[in-house]
Amino acid sequence: MVPPPLSRRGVLAGAASLAGTGAAFAGAATPAAADARTDGRRPGRAVVFRDVRPFGTGDPVDLTVVDGRFSDRPAPKGARIVEGGGRIALPSLVDAHIHPDKTSWGGDWVSRAPASGIAEYCEQDVELFRSQRRPVGERAYGLMAHAVTRGTRAMRAHADVAPAYGLAGLEGVAEAKERLAHALDVQVVAFPQHGVVRTPGTARLLEDAARSGLVDQIGGIDPISFDDALDEQLDLVFRLADRYGVGVDIHLHDRDEKGTRVLRGIVERTRALSVQGRVTVSHVFCLPYLPERELDTMAADLGALDIALTTVAPSESLVLPIARLREHGVRVGLGSDGVRDSWSPFGNADMLHRAHILGWVTDVRLDAELTDCYRVGSDGGADVLGLDRVGFAAGDPADFVLVRGECTPQVVVDMPRRDVVVHGGEVVARDGELV
């Protein structure tokens, strides 16, 4: 099937409706009436972020944070002051799809050999894993900490589970997650990169992972084109999710009818089991190729069952039609995928850069469209991970960045340094370094 042309309207149409929305800023003249809530992060702390411009609009205001959330009440006596210097305050971004266990970030240069197809990449994954002197936990921590300094508040981390590794990838990511608990919220996926059925022993490892408490989701990968076991893979993944109360996040790379067959299988199982709102499909390269009527039908089913999607915006032809999907209530997040691994030497875990890439590949140029690229990474990612959005209203989580610039569209284009990164009301990074 020849893919239909993607236009700006098809990908990010409706951006104007989001660019100017949001509740009143905490600390502004007419704040939303809401009490500051505690979310368990550093309770009892009060901070005032002075002279900042939320979303880069309007005059500078002071933002009051109590117990990790914005407050519309007067700052408590003794509150600490952080000077914003007129900087723009923007919600921290969410990386809805990343593979920190595979990374060589922070280590020696890795020369990559030619590869064609997932199976050959998997072989090179194993070679890289065995050649690394640094354990997974150290490598993952380095990458995840770097993401924090670039303004990432949360991520969904896929960690390979296969007989070649056992649960070492999961354990390493869990170690990094614990070290960064003050600065980063992390959901972990047990990802069967080598296939669920084609690699014996993986199914047992997935159950071990689900039982271990280390994971939030059970993953899957191309049940037809790679695993050649549509029903067997999906039945196992959904059964584990249902039994152990975890979510599902399945990689789907197929661009043709195999992809839509898998999606229908996911829809059927989501409808049959008590997992609505806990299922995500990543990449979903088949959707941009669907005719409009079929796309609307599929999107309506996904929205009705609250099945979320993620894109890494790899190219114009493979990025999801985000605006069209959102019209049907589908949650769509943005991710950075692999970073400096055996698959590719590229990647930097900087979600502002990924929002920039989203705008680049979809050829946007209007301010509202550029702003919406940012919101896909902030609001969209938060929606996929089930987190509260950050709109600077009273009660919102105080997860934000301070940057120098004129406005949000200009920030997306210029990607300025994240001068200050705040998580739960606490400064966790300054000038590109962890505090």
Side-chain angles (χ1 to χ4, degrees), residues 36 66 72 79 89-90 110 117-118 127 173 175 186 241 254 310 344 350-351 399 411:
V66 178
D72 59 357
L90 289 171
V110 174
I118 293 176
E127 293 173 7
V173 171
E175 175 189 326
V186 182
D254 297 309
T310 64
S344 173
D350 184 337
M351 286 302 297
D399 295 347
V411 168

Side-chain angles (χ1 to χ4, degrees), residues 12 322 326 332-334 358 371-381:
L12 290 168
I322 297 171
R326 290 192 304 205
V332 183
L334 184 65
L358 176 62
T371 297
D372 201 44
C373 287
Y374 195 93
R375 288 189 180 275
V376 173
S378 59
D379 295 350

Side-chain angles (χ1 to χ4, degrees), residues 241-254:
D242 189 43
R243 178 182 300 169
Y244 293 101
V246 297
V248 170
D249 194 325
I250 294 177
H251 284 54
L252 185 56
H253 303 100
D254 297 309

Side-chain angles (χ1 to χ4, degrees), residues 62-349:
D62 295 341
L63 299 176
T64 299
V65 176
V66 178
D67 294 337
R69 292 183 179 264
F70 293 109
S71 173
D72 59 357
R73 295 180 176 179
K77 184 177 180 181
R80 289 183 293 117
I81 305 297
V82 175
E83 295 291 345
R87 289 175 176 82
I88 297 175
L90 289 171
S92 296
L93 293 160
V94 176
D95 194 329
H97 187 104
I98 188 171
H99 294 264
D101 65 313
K102 295 176 182 285
T103 192
S104 62
W105 184 268
D108 296 335
W109 177 256
V110 174
S111 297
R112 292 151 185 89
S116 177
I118 293 176
E120 290 186 11
Y121 283 115
C122 288
E123 293 174 3
Q124 294 190 12
D125 279 341
V126 176
E127 293 173 7
L128 180 64
F129 175 81
R130 292 173 176 169
S131 68
Q132 291 293 298
R133 290 172 294 180
R134 297 176 300 148
V136 174
E138 182 180 337
R139 290 185 281 117
Y141 172 80
L143 181 64
M144 293 159 68
H146 173 78
V148 169
T149 68
R150 269 52 185 174
T152 294
R153 67 181 279 218
M155 63 174 52
R156 180 170 289 176
H158 296 254
D160 283 9
V161 171
Y165 319 113
L167 300 184
L170 288 178
E171 292 164 352
V173 171
E175 175 189 326
K177 172 183 176 179
E178 183 176 358
R179 291 177 66 184
L180 289 166
H182 67 290
L184 182 68
D185 298 326
V186 182
Q187 294 179 3
V188 182
V189 184
F191 176 47
Q193 176 74 82
H194 296 187
V196 175
V197 176
R198 66 181 285 156
T199 304
T202 301
R204 174 60 64 86
L205 286 170
L206 287 176
E207 181 152 19
D208 291 344
R211 190 187 302 114
S212 71
L214 292 175
V215 303
D216 303 281
Q217 285 87 24
I218 296 294
I221 180 170
D222 297 328
I224 297 176
S225 61
F226 185 61
D227 225 13
D228 194 23
L230 172 63
D231 291 330
E232 191 173 352
Q233 181 185 136
L234 292 184
D235 286 348
L236 172 69
V237 168
F238 276 83
R239 183 172 68 250
L240 292 177
D242 189 43
R243 178 182 300 169
Y244 293 101
V246 297
V248 170
D249 194 325
I250 294 177
H251 284 54
L252 185 56
H253 303 100
D254 297 309
R255 309 179 190 187
D256 53 18
E257 60 85 24
K258 291 191 291 293
T260 55
R261 281 178 59 197
V262 172
L263 269 183
R264 284 194 290 269
I266 291 171
V267 165
E268 291 167 2
R269 287 162 177 81
T270 304
R271 184 180 288 121
L273 299 173
S274 55
V275 293
Q276 294 187 19
R278 290 162 39 201
V279 177
T280 302
V281 191
S282 296
H283 304 309
V284 212
F285 292 155
C286 60
L287 283 182
Y289 289 83
L290 290 179
E292 288 192 4
R293 181 174 296 180
E294 291 184 35
L295 174 60
D296 284 336
T297 299
M298 183 66 76
D301 287 340
L302 296 172
L305 294 169
D306 198 15
I307 296 173
L309 307 178
T310 64
T311 183
V312 300
S315 67
E316 179 188 9
S317 62
L318 296 178
V319 67
L320 290 175
I322 297 171
R324 194 67 168 267
L325 291 163
R326 290 192 304 205
E327 289 174 4
H328 295 276
V330 181
R331 295 174 289 139
V332 183
L334 184 65
S336 56
D337 209 11
V339 178
R340 307 279 176 92
D341 54 23
S342 66
W343 293 59
S344 173
F346 294 101
N348 56 15

